[in-house]
Amino acid sequence: MTLLALFGGLALLLYGMQLIGEGLQRAAGGHLRHLLTSMTRTRLAAVASGALVTSIIQSSSATTLMLIGFVSAGLLTFRQSLGVILGADIGTTVTVQLLAFKVQELSLLLVGAGFAMTFFARRGLVKSLGQVILGFGFIFLGMKVMNDGLAPLVENELTRQVLVALADNQFLALLVGAVLSASMASSAATIGLTLSLGHQGLLPLAAAIPVVLGANIGTCATALAASLRSSSDARRVAVAHIAFKVLGVALVFPFISPLTAVVAQTAGDVARQIANAHTFFNVAISALFLPFAPWAARVITALVPEEERGDNPYRTRYLDDRYLDQPALAVGQATREALRMGDVAQNMLRDAMVVLRTDNQELLEDVERRDDQLDYLDREIKLFIARLGRETRSP
């Protein structure tokens, strides 16, 4: 029953986070895209935009995936994305701080209110906000299910021995956190489970902090997987995300004991202490690495060189079906492809005038080829927009 409670609670938590992200992207997807692509003139503004967007959509992985898509589509440069990545690390701490609040008793009220708004509302915005409330209700309900399911283990001697062994081996705890976070594609879910263990007194703070550090590394797996078939700049975004996390953990790991002592003074509740440790770590690495962002950009650019790719006229450059579940990003990619189509049309019309004056047969054949290219791009853009589906489009 305990395993079923953990499985069900984690499922509710992950589903709730997904509902919140989808609802807020429907309600403000265009604004989120504008925020990420416009507030990057200074490094501090980029950090602020990353933190704000991540705190809204409740997932640093989702923000990083959006960045990879924007960089792939040419809407954002790799250098601009570095500050946003560091800001996303700060924004993800908001989710964990929310999980540490003892508001699980309100979960059913939130589920009921969110369902009522989603079921009865006719306007898209109200439906989206109802979905957000429903998502928060599922998150808190999931935490309650896990807390209640773990309660019987407090008296179980075998469980205590396993957790004591985990506390004694900090590297093992780090590895467990990384594997769980990578497998669930969410550091918040892993830390939520850690909060439940801490709340029941099953996991001391000294053992929880390595798990939190591991969860921060494991969450990079999603971005890395999404960047494998993308442009060089998009892969650099994923590498930067991993580098910041791994270097941050490497710097903090030798000082876990002093960090534990400091964090223990911030709150009386273990769950809140764990959430604070997560916040301190991400704020610290963002503050530490931000001044070195230009240097980091040069190093990562050297590590991930530009790929030599021929420009196939019968191939879209910016459209990527993997981002169809993110309407703001998908529309941005379609816009970028349409602008490319406009460039092809402009050059074709210019050369057509030359053909009319000179009767250049070779150039005429090239103009005809580009006319076929325009037909191809027009069809692909229309199909891409159609696949978005009415249910996923921003209002």
Side-chain angles (χ1 to χ4, degrees):
M1 292 302 297
T2 299
L3 290 176
L4 287 175
L6 290 177
F7 179 77
L10 284 172
L12 285 171
L13 193 152
L14 289 169
Y15 184 57
M17 292 176 61
Q18 180 182 338
L19 286 178
I20 293 172
E22 290 178 354
L24 286 168
Q25 285 197 54
R26 286 198 188 101
H31 298 292
L32 295 179
R33 178 169 64 87
H34 177 73
L35 187 62
L36 279 180
T37 55
S38 63
M39 287 185 59
T40 54
R41 294 181 180 178
T42 66
R43 277 175 277 174
L44 287 177
V47 170
S49 65
L52 180 59
V53 170
T54 305
S55 62
I56 290 174
I57 64 177
Q58 300 287 300
S59 174
S60 61
S61 294
T63 302
T64 307
L65 290 177
M66 290 175 69
L67 281 178
I68 290 172
F70 290 151
V71 173
S72 296
L75 301 174
L76 203 65
T77 66
F78 166 61
R79 289 178 179 270
Q80 289 174 317
S81 71
L82 291 181
V84 183
I85 292 171
L86 293 172
D89 293 337
I90 296 175
T92 193
T93 65
V94 174
T95 306
V96 177
Q97 291 290 346
L98 286 173
L99 294 178
F101 281 110
K102 297 179 181 179
V103 291
Q104 287 85 356
E105 301 304 324
L106 298 176
S107 58
L108 294 179
L109 175 62
L110 292 175
V111 169
F115 173 77
M117 291 176 65
T118 305
F119 188 78
F120 294 109
R122 295 184 178 180
R123 296 180 58 188
L125 179 60
V126 178
K127 277 183 173 292
S128 298
L129 293 178
Q131 183 174 333
V132 172
I133 294 173
L134 183 62
F136 276 114
F138 281 143
I139 284 177
F140 295 136
L141 182 60
M143 288 296 296
K144 178 177 173 56
V145 170
M146 285 193 292
N147 287 341
D148 293 344
L150 289 170
L153 295 182
V154 175
E155 305 299 329
N156 188 289
E157 186 61 29
L158 178 61
T159 302
R160 286 191 171 275
Q161 290 177 1
V162 171
L163 293 174
V164 166
L166 191 67
D168 291 338
N169 192 331
Q170 294 178 339
F171 182 77
L172 178 60
L174 179 78
L175 185 62
V176 168
V179 171
L180 285 176
S181 183
S183 61
M184 292 187 289
S186 173
S187 60
T190 302
I191 299 174
L193 176 59
T194 307
L195 292 176
S196 295
L197 291 169
H199 178 73
Q200 295 294 343
L202 294 169
L203 193 65
L205 180 62
I209 289 180
V211 176
V212 170
L213 296 179
N216 277 275
I217 294 177
T219 191
C220 301
T222 304
L224 180 62
S227 69
L228 293 179
R229 291 186 291 113
S230 300
S231 65
S232 298
D233 273 345
R235 290 200 305 278
R236 289 167 187 159
V237 173
V239 170
H241 190 209
I242 295 170
F244 287 145
K245 292 289 191 180
V246 172
L247 287 175
V249 170
L251 291 173
V252 171
F253 194 75
F255 306 100
I256 286 181
S257 296
L259 177 61
T260 302
V262 171
V263 172
Q265 305 300 317
T266 62
D269 179 54
V270 176
R272 176 61 58 190
Q273 292 171 358
I274 295 171
N276 291 343
H278 180 60
T279 300
F280 290 165
F281 170 73
N282 283 283
V283 172
I285 64 171
S286 297
L288 178 63
F289 292 137
L290 185 61
F292 302 101
W295 178 82
R298 289 194 293 270
V299 172
I300 294 171
T301 300
L303 291 174
V304 186
E306 195 70 37
E307 278 189 351
E308 294 292 335
R309 287 186 179 180
D311 188 14
N312 185 352
Y314 298 103
R315 176 179 174 271
T316 59
R317 182 180 298 174
Y318 303 109
L319 304 184
D320 193 332
D321 288 351
R322 291 175 295 173
Y323 299 103
L324 286 173
D325 60 344
Q326 300 184 48
L329 177 52
V331 170
Q333 290 180 331
T335 302
R336 186 70 174 177
E337 197 69 54
L339 290 173
R340 178 195 174 207
M341 182 179 170
D343 291 338
V344 174
Q346 184 180 33
N347 292 332
M348 185 190 73
L349 290 174
R350 182 195 61 204
D351 290 341
M353 297 300 296
V354 176
V355 170
L356 290 174
R357 290 195 301 267
T358 64
D359 196 26
N360 187 327
Q361 292 300 311
E362 184 178 347
L363 186 57
L364 175 61
E365 292 176 0
D366 186 51
V367 169
E368 291 175 344
R369 178 187 62 79
R370 279 179 278 175
D371 180 61
D372 293 337
Q373 180 186 5
L374 285 178
D375 292 338
Y376 171 79
L377 292 177
D378 177 65
R379 182 176 66 253
E380 291 300 311
I381 292 172
K382 288 178 179 177
L383 290 173
F384 183 78
I385 293 295
R387 283 195 295 270
L388 272 174
R390 177 173 294 182
E391 71 279 0
T392 60
R393 290 180 194 161
S394 299

